[in-house]
Amino acid sequence: LFLLVIGSGRMLVTAVGVNSQTGIIFTLLGAGGEEEEKKEKKGKMQDGNMENNQTKVKKQDGAAAMEMQPLKSAEGGEADDKEKKKANVSKKEKSVLQGKLTKLAVQIGKAGLVMSAITVIILVLYFAIDNFVLLKRPWLPECTPIYIQYFVKFFIIGVTVLVVAVPEGLPLAVTISLAYSVKKMMKDNNLVRHLDACETMGNATAICSDKTGTLTTNRMTAVQCYVGDVHYKEIPDPSSIPPKTLEILVNAISLNSAYTTKILPPDKEGGLPKQVGNKTECGLLGLVLDLKRDYQTIRNQIPEEKLYKVYTFNSVRKSMSTVIKLPDGSFRMYSKGASEIVLKKCSVILNETGEPRVFRPRDRDEMVKKVIEPMACNGLRTICVAYRDFPADPEPNWEDENNILTELTAICVVGIEDPVRPEVPDAILKCQRAGITVRMVTGDNINTARAIAIKCGIIHPGEDFLCIDGKEFNRRIRNEKGEVEQERIDKVWPKLRVLARSSPTDKHTLVKGIIDSTLVDQRQVVAVTGDGTNDGPALKKADVGFAMGIAGTDVAKEASDIILTDDNFSSIVKAVMWGRNVYDSISKFLQFQLTVNVVAVIVAFTGACITQDSPLKAVQMLWVNLIMDTFASLALATEPPNEALLMRKPYGRNKPLISSTMTKNILGHGVYQLIIIFTLLFVGEQIFDIDSGRNAPLHSPPSEHYTIIFNTFVMMQLFNEINARKIHGERNVFDGIFRNPIFCSIVLGTFAIQIVIVQFGGKRFRVLISIHVCPALGQVISTIPNSKLRFLRGAGQLSKKDEMHEEEMNEDQEEIDHAERELRRGQILWFRGLNRIQTQIRVVNAFRSSLYEGLEKPESRTSIHNFMTHPEFRIEDSTPHIPLIDDTDIDDEAARKNSSQPSSPNKNNNAIDSGINLTTNMSKSAASSSPGSPLHSLETSL
């Protein structure tokens, strides 16, 4: 940015529009696709036979894309077109759990349909052969209604088998678990914008984190100083500093800094003071406060308008100087800046008594070796504070900077740092234990980044890791033509831990390279944290993007999936824990549900084939489905997480949804329940001395025999629900059961309702058999080695074909599924980026609705070029406090509909102003089966 307040100047424009840095960022965010589509359509309307010109335009667009696309394949233009196409499609890849559940649901649905069809066929054939072949009964017309009733009964039994086989409660469990987790994550400072991100984070294998504000406090603080020939590793007591030196030091810091830089009281009692303005100057002002002095009192004595001369900081002098006029008419200049620059201009230094002594070059070299270098190795930024006195007569030539900024007297050297958040090292250690690799991607210099990474625990001395800057990173990953090659990235990212001096394109390239890598068996699931507009492309490309809720810009928030309301890395660890808890909650319900389904299907199928009637009636199965699907999903999907979730590696995308332990539990409990049910079915009347319910007439009332079977079946499932709380072979199935009051309430409530139904809904309740055996049986099953059960291990396992992105699967099709039903996220980012001028647009549209009535409609002004050329909008003007949910969105939509601007070619323009209301998204996902939700995907598959 070239800013000229007064006078004249020159500037060299090296890039404009989509070729500028801002243009590249918005293109990576997908905001340039709409403009290209409009140009193509406009060209077609002007001349139908413009193939040659269109070819040239495409070539030019391809060349522009080559410059802006950070990761290009070696195939050339065709691959670039694919990348370009992907950039314009909303990121709607199925999450790990969603993909596995979809495949598993299809498998279960097919198996249930086959079992249902076989059941109906066997019943019909058995009835027909028994009556018309063996008994040789003729088909009498008057008996036709009776036969039809039998066939309808067989069909109902088949439908019962199908209903039992299909786990219709699974989508509900997914939705409940996600919604419950999202609500609880709000208390852990995680605002989830996309429900799938909650579960995806549980499978994260890599986190690319920003440094400032995330790993650190974003509060520059003075921690060391060298004053009076003494190096203090901590801020000294004011009494240990010579009074004369202390006075000059306090005046130098208070006056030689922007008066807009202040330290204000905290917003909340017990909080940290607020730093306003330049962070480095805030660190120095904090030093003044630590020395028990008040900088504001000094500023009040010498207000800003009384400062005689100010040399502002610039990249050439790397220092700032302020001249004041003393009461005797003489002048004093205070200077501060980079220690290696300012010390070269010092010829005198204050000693331990506050008196000046000669500061020779060898003294400077010794100070650099013993003071500055140790501070820098600790990740500190060293600032030297100095001053110089000038006589009143003759007055110096203040324009001769070379002579003014020399012969300084050094006061002290201050080491300031952005302290690491106290909870970050422990959080990173938890991530590493959980199998997650944490990488720091920052714009700071490599020495500071490396020092902070060591303090955080990202890197450890003696380990094999890479710590490089953006220039070295590009040299390693690009070929002779300057193109990024995936093979080169694969040689860098596994050992890379710190990437310093990184640009937005570098961050995007790194994230894309890790995601697209085939170096390891499991595809990497990458999470990215960021707060600025420059982080937008990487946040959007990542599997899960974390934006900072306090310091984050609107572009970063819109590109993210989860917003950290406290800008703290430890909140990411909580997101990982909740994500893994979602996965485990679904696995718990799945283990329980499949046990019910296997037993119920076999009982209904076998009973129907042998006795020509299902022991479990359709009405009874409705109750079983209610308690086993709805209630159980609510009970098992609301289990709270614990720290044990972070003690294992991520599941991975290719690992089967049903583990060996789950398979063992399902088969063990299924066999046990089948033995009990078949025993009651075939010899139960003898055990309880009651009438047999087998081979009952067509419309006979419910028998006591089958009531016992129904009640026993329900009770076994109810107590098996407790066993289903543990899916990793834990012995104590009651551990933490009272931490989930919902689970306890549902189990006890279902137990009470079942007693009421059996006692008062039918014949006398006479069974308490086998219901207490289930918890003990779980201990027996746990002793069976998993290695003995190598079959049925592929259920729900994703193949490489299933693992492909949805956009890759549909890249050759004209229509894309639910991803095309939403407005492209790039467009959302585009309009949110122009949030500051929405009010102006609304007013203008109100006038245009009447002004342009009956006239030609004006063209839409949403292109990148117009965005670049609007002088009233600048990126630096955007504030991070603009709300994500705009109360005027509905009015904006109405104004656009009534305005004279042409509508966008996208059919879902209203998605622009739909906001990101979390409650609405959750209700849609749970109630209306919106496209893209787990519920919709499973319903579509089934």
Side-chain angles (χ1 to χ4, degrees):
L1 178 64
F2 181 82
L3 180 62
L4 186 64
V5 179
I6 189 172
S8 61
R10 296 179 180 179
M11 62 181 293
L12 175 63
V13 178
T14 59
V16 295
V18 295
N19 296 315
S20 64
Q21 188 66 36
T22 305
I24 292 175
I25 291 174
F26 275 84
T27 302
L28 292 175
L29 289 171
E34 181 184 5
E35 182 69 16
E36 295 178 3
E37 292 177 5
K38 288 183 178 181
K39 289 181 179 180
E40 291 179 1
K41 290 186 177 181
K42 187 175 181 180
K44 290 179 180 179
M45 292 176 62
Q46 290 177 352
D47 188 359
N49 190 12
M50 297 285 291
E51 295 182 359
N52 295 332
N53 292 338
Q54 288 177 358
T55 302
K56 294 179 180 179
V57 171
K58 288 181 179 179
K59 289 182 178 180
Q60 293 174 359
D61 292 343
M66 287 289 289
E67 293 183 6
M68 292 176 290
Q69 187 67 25
L71 184 57
K72 312 173 190 64
S73 60
E75 285 80 10
E78 184 178 354
D80 294 332
D81 293 339
K82 292 180 181 179
E83 294 292 341
K84 183 177 172 183
K85 181 179 180 180
K86 291 178 187 178
N88 293 330
V89 178
S90 178
K91 182 182 69 177
K92 280 295 176 183
E93 177 189 356
K94 286 184 180 179
S95 66
V96 178
L97 180 61
Q98 188 177 352
K100 292 180 180 180
L101 287 177
T102 301
K103 185 175 181 180
L104 180 63
V106 172
Q107 295 172 349
I108 296 176
K110 291 179 180 179
L113 186 60
V114 171
M115 291 292 292
S116 175
I118 293 175
T119 303
V120 175
I121 292 173
I122 291 177
L123 288 173
V124 172
L125 292 177
Y126 185 90
F127 178 81
I129 293 174
D130 184 50
N131 286 275
F132 304 119
V133 176
L134 298 180
L135 299 178
K136 298 181 179 180
R137 293 176 180 173
W139 185 294
L140 300 178
E142 57 270 17
C143 295
T144 301
I146 304 297
Y147 296 151
I148 292 178
Q149 290 183 29
Y150 271 103
F151 292 147
V152 171
K153 176 184 176 181
F154 299 153
F155 178 77
I156 292 176
I157 293 174
V159 172
T160 302
V161 173
L162 179 62
V163 170
V164 171
V166 175
E168 60 270 16
L170 192 55
L172 180 61
V174 174
T175 304
I176 289 177
S177 182
L178 289 174
Y180 177 80
S181 299
V182 166
K183 181 180 177 182
K184 293 296 183 180
M185 287 174 70
M186 280 292 297
K187 297 181 180 179
D188 289 336
N189 302 309
N190 283 269
L191 173 60
V192 180
R193 301 181 62 242
H194 303 123
L195 287 178
D196 290 346
C198 175
E199 176 268 318
T200 303
M201 194 59 204
N203 288 277
T205 58
I207 298 177
C208 297
S209 175
D210 190 18
K211 179 184 73 69
T212 305
T214 307
L215 300 176
T216 61
T217 60
N218 196 22
R219 295 174 54 86
M220 298 302 294
T221 307
V223 294
Q224 295 185 24
C225 67
Y226 178 86
V227 57
D229 290 337
V230 180
H231 184 187
Y232 296 95
K233 297 298 180 64
E234 295 179 355
I235 301 302
D237 187 83
S239 59
S240 61
I241 301 177
K244 182 179 179 181
T245 303
L246 179 61
E247 181 184 0
I248 297 177
L249 175 61
V250 171
N251 289 337
I253 295 177
S254 302
L255 299 177
N256 187 33
S257 60
Y259 277 36
T260 54
T261 301
K262 300 177 181 179
I263 297 181
L264 303 179
D267 294 333
K268 298 181 181 179
E269 185 177 355
L272 295 174
K274 293 173 56 178
Q275 293 186 347
V276 181
N278 184 275
K279 296 297 182 180
T280 301
E281 292 182 345
C282 286
L284 294 175
L285 293 178
L287 174 62
V288 174
L289 298 179
D290 292 339
L291 294 175
K292 306 298 188 294
R293 296 293 187 272
D294 185 11
Y295 67 88
Q296 192 59 46
T297 302
I298 300 175
R299 288 182 174 181
N300 293 337
Q301 296 174 355
I302 305 179
E304 190 172 8
E305 57 270 12
K306 290 188 178 180
L307 299 179
Y308 197 81
K309 178 70 176 179
V310 176
Y311 298 93
T312 58
F313 179 89
N314 61 38
S315 58
V316 177
R317 64 170 72 98
K318 290 187 178 181
S319 63
M320 174 183 179
S321 301
T322 300
V323 180
I324 63 172
K325 194 170 185 177
L326 300 178
D328 59 0
S330 61
F331 302 94
R332 174 169 290 179
M333 180 183 68
Y334 297 110
S335 295
K336 73 171 187 296
S339 58
E340 65 273 14
I341 301 297
V342 177
L343 283 177
K344 291 180 180 179
K345 301 176 181 179
C346 293
S347 59
V348 180
I349 189 172
L350 299 181
N351 59 16
E352 65 276 5
T353 61
E355 299 297 329
R357 67 173 175 83
V358 178
F359 188 65
R360 294 164 294 189
R362 63 182 182 184
D363 297 331
R364 181 178 65 249
D365 295 338
E366 184 178 0
M367 179 181 291
V368 169
K369 183 178 180 180
K370 294 184 178 181
V371 177
I372 296 178
E373 288 183 357
M375 286 185 180
C377 292
N378 289 329
L380 304 184
R381 181 183 300 174
T382 54
I383 304 294
C384 180
V385 182
Y387 78 100
R388 180 183 177 183
D389 289 328
F390 295 93
D393 188 26
E395 183 175 347
N397 181 13
W398 302 112
E399 301 302 326
D400 188 5
E401 290 188 26
N402 293 330
N403 292 326
I404 295 296
L405 300 178
T406 57
E407 303 297 328
L408 302 180
T409 300
I411 304 174
C412 74
V413 175
V414 182
I416 62 176
E417 70 169 353
D418 189 0
V420 175
R421 291 180 179 268
E423 63 275 10
V424 164
D426 183 57
I428 290 180
L429 180 61
K430 290 180 180 179
C431 286
Q432 294 170 345
R433 288 176 180 173
I436 303 174
T437 302
V438 181
R439 296 177 175 86
M440 178 193 295
V441 183
T442 179
D444 277 355
N445 67 76
I446 190 169
N447 293 326
T448 302
R450 183 188 293 108
I452 296 297
I454 293 175
K455 292 182 179 180
C456 293
I458 295 178
I459 58 178
H460 302 278
E463 289 185 349
D464 185 15
F465 60 85
L466 278 180
C467 184
I468 58 178
D469 58 13
K471 185 177 180 181
E472 175 66 16
F473 175 70
N474 282 278
R475 187 189 67 80
R476 294 191 180 201
I477 66 174
R478 297 183 183 273
N479 57 20
E480 295 77 8
K481 298 179 181 179
E483 298 174 346
V484 176
E485 293 182 353
Q486 184 63 47
E487 294 79 8
R488 293 173 177 260
I489 295 182
D490 289 341
K491 296 178 182 179
V492 175
W493 72 262
K495 296 182 180 180
L496 182 64
R497 294 297 180 270
V498 176
L499 180 60
R501 293 298 186 196
S502 58
S503 66
T505 305
D506 294 338
K507 296 179 181 180
H508 183 275
T509 302
L510 176 62
V511 173
K512 189 176 188 302
I514 297 177
I515 292 177
D516 294 345
S517 176
T518 57
L519 193 63
V520 292
D521 296 335
Q522 300 284 352
R523 183 180 89 74
Q524 296 287 297
V525 179
V526 183
V528 173
T529 66
D531 56 359
T533 303
N534 294 345
D535 299 319
L539 289 171
K540 183 184 176 185
K541 181 61 184 176
D543 294 288
V544 182
F546 288 86
M548 304 297 107
I550 300 175
T553 62
D554 290 337
V555 173
K557 292 176 182 177
E558 286 296 336
S560 66
D561 301 292
I562 300 177
I563 297 176
L564 301 179
T565 57
D566 62 345
D567 292 11
N568 198 335
F569 185 85
S570 62
S571 299
I572 300 178
V573 180
K574 296 177 182 177
V576 174
M577 188 166 62
W578 276 105
R580 294 188 174 187
N581 186 67
V582 169
Y583 196 102
D584 280 8
S585 296
I586 302 305
S587 297
K588 294 173 185 177
F589 175 75
L590 193 60
Q591 173 179 300
F592 171 75
Q593 178 74 58
L594 291 182
T595 304
V596 178
N597 289 6
V598 168
V599 175
V601 168
I602 294 178
V603 169
F605 173 77
T606 307
C609 294
I610 296 177
T611 67
Q612 288 190 318
D613 191 10
S614 174
L616 300 175
K617 305 300 181 181
V619 176
Q620 294 174 344
M621 291 311 304
L622 289 177
W623 169 241
V624 171
N625 272 348
L626 178 63
I627 63 174
M628 300 303 132
D629 291 348
T630 307
F631 292 162
S633 62
L634 183 61
L636 294 173
T638 54
E639 286 280 335
N642 52 61
E643 293 290 337
L645 293 169
L646 299 177
M647 302 304 293
R648 60 170 174 80
K649 305 296 182 182
Y651 280 124
R653 301 183 66 89
N654 298 334
K655 188 174 181 179
L657 185 60
I658 304 176
S659 64
S660 300
T661 303
M662 293 173 60
T663 304
K664 179 178 64 178
N665 292 337
I666 293 171
L667 293 179
H669 287 285
V671 171
Y672 159 74
Q673 294 180 19
L674 287 173
I675 293 174
I676 298 297
I677 295 297
F678 284 140
T679 301
L680 293 176
L681 177 61
F682 295 108
V683 297
E685 71 277 10
Q686 301 176 14
I687 296 175
F688 294 101
D689 192 18
I690 56 177
D691 296 333
S692 175
R694 297 189 304 274
N695 300 319
L698 182 62
H699 296 292
S700 60
S703 65
E704 189 174 2
H705 181 197
Y706 277 15
T707 301
I708 292 176
I709 296 175
F710 164 65
N711 190 68
T712 305
F713 176 76
V714 171
M715 288 298 177
M716 285 192 298
Q717 308 311 326
L718 190 61
F719 282 89
N720 186 35
E721 193 170 343
I722 300 176
N723 283 326
R725 294 183 62 251
K726 304 299 179 182
I727 59 174
H728 298 294
E730 297 90 341
R731 292 287 183 178
N732 187 5
V733 296
F734 296 98
D735 181 33
I737 191 172
F738 295 110
R739 293 175 55 213
N740 188 3
I742 298 178
F743 181 89
C744 298
S745 302
I746 288 177
V747 171
L748 295 177
T750 306
F751 184 83
I753 295 174
Q754 178 68 15
I755 294 177
V756 172
I757 289 177
V758 174
Q759 281 291 95
F760 302 101
K763 290 192 176 182
R764 190 165 57 92
F765 171 70
R766 293 207 293 167
V767 63
L768 285 172
I769 184 173
S770 303
I771 60 177
H772 296 290
V773 184
C774 287
L777 180 65
Q779 303 299 318
V780 177
I781 295 175
S782 297
T783 61
I784 302 176
N786 293 344
S787 58
K788 301 297 183 182
L789 300 172
R790 295 189 177 276
F791 53 95
L792 295 179
R793 297 181 63 182
Q797 182 175 3
L798 289 180
S799 61
K800 291 185 177 180
K801 182 178 180 180
D802 298 321
E803 193 182 350
M804 296 177 64
H805 297 193
E806 283 191 14
E807 52 264 33
E808 293 177 358
M809 296 288 290
N810 298 316
E811 61 186 4
D812 296 328
Q813 301 178 8
E814 293 182 0
E815 295 184 359
I816 301 176
D817 51 5
H818 59 276
E820 219 175 44
R821 298 179 186 177
E822 278 190 297
L823 188 63
R824 289 193 299 267
R825 291 177 69 181
Q827 291 175 303
I828 296 176
L829 294 169
W830 181 264
F831 285 94
R832 291 295 178 180
L834 300 178
N835 197 297
R836 290 182 60 86
I837 60 171
Q838 280 187 346
T839 304
Q840 302 175 20
I841 294 177
R842 212 165 44 245
V843 174
V844 172
N845 286 342
F847 282 100
R848 284 181 176 176
S849 60
S850 58
L851 180 63
Y852 288 101
E853 187 172 348
L855 300 178
E856 183 181 358
K857 297 181 179 180
E859 293 185 359
S860 175
R861 301 187 61 187
T862 60
S863 67
I864 286 183
H865 176 73
N866 289 331
F867 167 76
M868 296 296 180
T869 55
H870 282 183
E872 65 272 16
F873 178 80
R874 294 177 301 183
I875 290 181
E876 65 268 22
D877 290 338
S878 63
T879 62
H881 304 292
I882 298 176
L884 289 175
I885 303 176
D886 198 345
D887 296 333
T888 62
D889 284 345
I890 300 178
D891 298 335
D892 293 344
E893 176 65 19
R896 275 197 295 274
K897 287 183 178 180
N898 296 329
S899 69
S900 55
Q901 296 184 4
S903 61
S904 171
N906 195 309
K907 296 181 180 180
N908 293 306
N909 248 354
N910 55 354
I912 297 174
D913 295 302
S914 62
I916 55 170
N917 194 312
L918 179 61
T919 306
T920 305
N921 288 344
M922 288 167 51
S923 62
K924 286 182 179 180
S925 181
S928 62
S929 302
S930 62
S933 67
L935 181 60
H936 173 78
S937 300
L938 286 173
E939 288 176 351
T940 304
S941 302
L942 296 177

